[in-house]
Amino acid sequence: MAKRKDENFFSPENAKRPRQEELEDFDKDGDEDECTVSFTNGTSTLTAAEVGIIESIHLRNFMCHSMLGPFKFGSNVNFVVGNNGSGKSAVLTALIVGLGGKAVATNRGSSLKGFVKDGQNSADITITLRNRGDDAYRANVYGDSIVVQQHISMDGSRSYKLKSETGAVVSTRKEELIAILDHFNIQFFMKATQLEQMKEDYSYIMETKERTKEQINQGEERLTELKRQCLEKEERFQSIAGLSTMKTNLEYLKHEMAWAVVNEIEKQLNAIRDNIKIGEDRAARLDRKMEEQQVRLNEAEKKYKDIQDKLEKISQETNARAPECMALKADVTAKKRAYNEAEVLYNRSLNEYKALKKDDEQLCKRIEELKKSTNQSLEPERLERQKKICWLKDRVKALQDQENSINQEIEQFQQAIEKDKEEYTRIRGEELDVKHALNYNQRQLKELKDSKTDRLKRFGSHVPALLEAIDEAYRRGHFTHKPVGPLGACIHLRDPEHALAIESCLKGLLQAYCCHNHADERVLQALMKRFYPPGTSRPQIIVSEFRNEMYDVRHRAAHHPEFPTVLTALEIDNAVVANSLIDMRGIETVLLIKNNSVARAVMQFQKPPKNCREAFTADGDQVFAGRYYSSENTRPKFLSRDVDSEISDLENEVENKKAQIVNLQQHLSALEKDTKHNEDLLKRCQLHYKELKMKIRKSISEIRELENIEEHQSVDIATLEDEAQENKIKMKMVEKNMEQQKENLEHHKSLKVEAENKYDAIKLKINQLSELADPLKDELNLADAEVDNQKRGKRHYEEKQKEHLDTLNKKKRELDMKVKELEEKMSQARQICPERIEVKKSASILDKEINRLRQKIQAEHASHGDREEIMRQYQEARETYLDLDNKVRTLKRFIKLLEEIMTHRYKTYQQFRRCLTLRCKLYFDNLLSQRAYCGKMNFDHKNETLTISVQPGEGNKAAFNDMRALSGGERSFSTVCFILSLWSIAESPFRCLDEFDVYMDMVNRRIAMDMILKMADSQRFRQFILLTPQSMSSLPSSKLIRILRMSDPERGQTTLPFRPVTQEDDDN
């Protein structure tokens, strides 16, 4: 515990209390019955201690013990006995720590957290100090006992609770504990005597002396100045004259001043009235300009609405024709397919007819040849030839049947290939669309991931660098005002669900920047060229004068009891950003309605709210009074707060897109394989078809050759004629079929041409509508810009009108105030001068003349003054001088007396130190002599060291030995003598000694015990706490001795009980 010093060393609290001469019953609880014990050497009886001793102690989770106590100490001698590990040393350690000592002072740890039992979160120490009698500390607050509770946490921190006898908490401050320990003179780990305290007090007094000398020097310097002032006052005795005339002139100037103020206020009134008239004329001009601006705005809005209606009509017509166009396209495709099929059938019939006609010609020719032929072939050869001809004809018929079948297969394969190619083209286009969407999502995902470290990157990868360049340019003075942007980074959503709606409303404005003037715009454009390459889109730059206050849009904003506007849905700290969005987009007139059907109901099924032009839904859809536009975006890009969720959704969407692309690519691969397989089969069929054609031609050629062979045998003309007749019938059938196929072909051709004409007509109409819509869109953008421009112009005039009217009203209020002021000033002037005076000078000139005259009068008073005032000032200066002179003299006498006192006290301090040293040596020699030991103690006060030498036995047999040369018992006995010697000169109310007899034999132990008990008996007003592993069964019978026996801890035991043992208990 650190040393403590009272403010006044010689206060009554530090004086030693007189010892009482009679015994008092101090134990109010009846636990002790201490009585007077007479000394055998005839000393007087002493009473028990009343303040500062330990009444009880209670430990919980301290060191290795879960619970020690609660138990009580006696007021005189207390032995705490028990084997090792029973908790004796824990009691002594707890006393030191519990009364504010540091952990290192216990020699059992370097930190308080080491005293908390393993496995526990904290430890508690409760110590009860006696607080009785006249010297009690704040007895009216604490009562007869002071309870000190200390709580030690696992982190090494501790807290205090100081309680009264009744358990009420009095204080939790350590300073209160220190004050209690100072009051009781409880000292740990500092010198037991008060020599050090006296030495420090002596040094403090000497410092006070030096400071007092400095005050004396300062007082002497001040005395010189006061003496000079006093002499000056004595010299100021002059008469006062000429002041009455100046005072009369001063009064007249005051009269003129009063009416001069009235004149100036009247001039100000006239000027204000002129300004008001000019202001009213200007207000009328502004009204006319506002009406003209309103007309232009109405015209611009009408033009915008007309163009929008035209564009809407074109869009509706285009959308209405789209299904018809698709149907006609499908119809054209079907008609083409039917026409191709009819053409194939017609060509087949035509080829068959040509072949039959050629055969007919050949048969006729053959019959004629046979009729003319005179020589007939032999019958066997003819029959053989006829047989081969019949076989060849059957073969040709079979080959023709195969040809028809193969032709049908070729058509099927061609249709399958065409269908696969159309499907491939469609899937390929779908794949390209998905890839474009994937690339967009991947770019957006990268921007979102970059925005986790820098939110500005959501507005473009170049934005952070651009903003740094803007800051640098602004520091160098290139900008009049620092540009603001991107605007999306300057706004915050009140409701995250409005993110997509607000983005759909503001669009490119989220990436825009604001400049104060066109010069700043040019500088910003030059900076943007460094970060945005040519050909890439740059953010929009809005040029508008910066204002510190946001527009007052209450009179023109949309209001709805349930749904906010874009302006109210945003938190905008910068007025420039808010004003720019109001100017460019009119965000005060746009409602945000989350539900699509509710938005339609509010805007279309009923009259829209006042001033509401449009609304946006949570899906980003735009709703007008008569139109509805769906949003192309599905999620916000710039204003989303939950970036991690957006990243997760985008990653899932990217994976879905990749999986979709893989599926589409697999489908394309399957289509490619199917197409290739069909093409291979088509080639095979076509090859087979060619082979069949060649075989048919070859067979027909053979038939013709056989039929054309001239034989000597006669030919069966009848057979040939029958065949020719049959061929003619067949030709007629084929010709009839061919005519039908031709009619069918012409019919399908006309249908195809008609479908193509219809499709071309509607396609031409749609293209014409698109061509009409493109210039209308440009006109709509220009009209929209014109509407915004006219609105800004209108707002400009409205604000100027409002500002002008505010100024005009302010002037009118100023006029009213001036009228009242004029009345007051005229009333005041009449009180000063009832008749109005013609004043030619201005109020400022008159004020200067009045001040000049007043200064002259004051100067006269200051230079002369009256005798009474001068005498009063002189008396005050003289009294001040004499008072300070008396104080300086008193301080000098005090310093001289202090030097004498300190010289005397220092001698007393040295004498007191010699007495304490001698007293300690005598006690030490006396105690050693009880065992015939000799010893000496050498005190070196200069170096603050102490040397002890002890000689066992008689002193003339050997020289004094160092303590290290003694045996264990001799050293322990010598140590006890040394401790008792120190106790004899110390004033602490209790003493504690741990295991003082460990290395003593029985003889030394008995002698040491007798010495301690004898001292305790002679100092009953002090408490002794002795810790020893011995049983102490041989102690003398006395009620002043209390033995606290600690039981050996058992396995699993958490509480170590104390059992107080007295001599009566031993007898029982």
Side-chain angles (χ1 to χ4, degrees), residues 135-153:
D135 289 338
Y137 180 80
R138 299 176 67 187
N140 60 332
V141 177
Y142 286 97
D144 291 345
S145 298
I146 298 177
V147 180
V148 181
Q149 286 187 353
Q150 184 175 148
H151 179 80
I152 304 174
S153 302

Side-chain angles (χ1 to χ4, degrees), residues 64 334 478 538 598 615 725 755 790 800 848 906 953 983:
C64 59
H478 296 167
R538 297 180 188 173
V598 176
Q725 187 64 30
Q790 297 301 331
K800 288 187 70 174
K848 290 179 181 178
Y906 185 68
W983 283 359

Side-chain angles (χ1 to χ4, degrees), residues 53-263:
I53 67 172
I54 309 296
E55 288 187 346
S56 66
I57 186 170
H58 180 205
L59 311 179
R60 186 178 67 83
N61 297 332
F62 188 76
M63 296 179 69
C64 59
H65 306 283
S66 298
M67 190 73 70
L68 283 177
F71 58 92
K72 296 184 177 181
F73 289 110
S75 61
N76 192 225
V77 181
N78 297 271
F79 286 94
V80 181
V81 300
N83 295 326
N84 292 333
S86 60
K88 302 187 303 299
S89 298
V91 174
L92 180 58
T93 304
L95 282 173
I96 297 173
V97 175
L99 293 178
K102 295 182 179 179
V104 293
T106 64
N107 294 324
R108 287 183 173 270
S110 59
S111 175
L112 290 176
K113 61 184 178 181
F115 295 129
V116 180
K117 185 181 179 183
D118 293 340
Q120 301 297 326
N121 295 325
S122 61
D124 293 290
I125 302 171
T126 303
I127 299 172
T128 304
L129 301 175
R130 180 168 293 178
N131 189 43
R132 303 178 184 175
D134 296 336
D135 289 338
Y137 180 80
R138 299 176 67 187
N140 60 332
V141 177
Y142 286 97
D144 291 345
S145 298
I146 298 177
V147 180
V148 181
Q149 286 187 353
Q150 184 175 148
H151 179 80
I152 304 174
S153 302
M154 272 297 295
D155 57 0
S157 62
R158 59 181 173 183
S159 59
Y160 296 93
K161 285 186 179 179
L162 301 176
K163 298 183 177 180
S164 65
E165 180 185 18
T166 59
V169 177
V170 177
S171 176
T172 58
R173 299 172 65 250
K174 186 177 180 181
E175 289 76 6
E176 179 72 4
L177 176 61
I178 292 174
I180 293 171
L181 298 179
D182 283 342
H183 185 80
F184 292 159
N185 199 25
I186 298 175
Q187 303 172 0
F188 293 101
F189 310 107
M190 63 178 289
K191 296 179 181 178
T193 65
Q194 294 181 337
L195 291 174
E196 186 70 18
Q197 185 85 18
M198 294 173 64
K199 183 178 179 181
E200 291 179 358
D201 289 343
Y202 177 78
S203 300
Y204 176 76
I205 293 172
M206 295 307 294
E207 292 176 0
T208 304
K209 172 187 170 184
E210 294 300 322
R211 289 195 297 270
T212 305
K213 285 184 177 180
E214 292 179 2
Q215 293 178 359
I216 291 173
N217 294 333
Q218 294 174 359
E220 290 177 344
E221 294 177 357
R222 178 62 178 160
L223 275 175
T224 303
E225 177 66 19
L226 288 176
K227 186 175 182 179
R228 184 186 62 78
Q229 293 178 1
C230 186
L231 293 175
E232 289 179 355
K233 299 293 182 182
E234 289 179 341
E235 296 175 356
R236 297 179 57 197
F237 292 100
Q238 295 180 3
S239 60
I240 299 173
L243 292 178
S244 59
T245 304
M246 288 188 287
K247 288 181 179 180
T248 303
N249 294 335
L250 180 61
E251 287 299 320
Y252 184 75
L253 288 175
K254 286 180 180 181
H255 293 173
E256 286 187 332
M257 182 67 180
W259 289 106
V261 170
V262 171
N263 292 340

Side-chain angles (χ1 to χ4, degrees), residues 729-754:
I729 294 171
K730 198 173 185 179
M731 281 178 62
K732 289 181 180 179
M733 293 176 61
V734 171
E735 185 178 6
K736 184 179 180 181
N737 186 31
M738 186 178 68
E739 291 296 330
Q740 292 178 354
Q741 294 295 338
K742 186 175 182 181
E743 290 177 0
N744 189 31
L745 178 63
E746 292 296 331
H747 176 68
H748 283 293
K749 183 177 181 181
S750 63
L751 292 177
K752 180 177 77 71
V753 172
E754 182 182 358

Side-chain angles (χ1 to χ4, degrees), residues 359 383-401 692 694-709 723:
D359 290 343
L383 293 175
E384 183 69 26
R385 195 165 52 250
Q386 288 293 332
K387 184 179 180 180
K388 188 173 182 180
I389 288 173
C390 290
W391 178 82
L392 285 172
K393 286 184 177 180
D394 292 339
R395 185 186 179 197
V396 167
K397 185 177 181 181
L399 290 173
Q400 286 177 344
D401 292 338
L692 288 174
M694 291 178 65
K695 288 179 180 181
I696 290 171
R697 285 195 296 270
K698 185 177 179 182
S699 297
I700 293 173
S701 178
E702 287 180 4
I703 291 173
R704 288 173 181 173
E705 288 177 359
L706 288 174
E707 290 177 346
N708 292 330
I709 293 175
E723 184 178 351

